[in-house]
Amino acid sequence: MDRERLLENLRWLAQGNPQYAGTDEEGQQNVVVAHLMADDFLLSYIDDREITELFNSIRRGDSS
């Protein structure tokens, strides 16, 4: 993923676009799902396996 694609995807989420982000109510973005999508976008941009594994470990609540 390049920087321009990342910005496009994050802007799409920031605008509250509910498409593919799950909805609690019709037309309302599910904030939890949007946060997870933003995390995934950022991890795709970083594209570093070790960072991704550590981040996912934190997200799951695993302890060292």
Side-chain angles (χ1 to χ4, degrees), residues 1-47:
M1 176 178 293
D2 63 19
R3 184 178 186 278
E4 290 306 312
R5 179 63 186 222
L6 174 64
L7 287 171
E8 178 183 328
N9 288 337
L10 292 176
R11 285 184 186 119
W12 176 79
L13 282 173
Q15 292 169 354
N17 193 327
Q19 185 180 10
Y20 305 118
T23 57
D24 291 328
E25 298 177 22
E26 188 173 334
Q28 297 290 321
Q29 184 182 64
N30 183 316
V31 176
V32 173
V33 174
H35 285 181
L36 292 172
M37 289 179 71
D39 293 344
D40 288 340
F41 289 147
L42 289 172
L43 289 173
S44 295
Y45 180 71
I46 294 170
D47 196 27

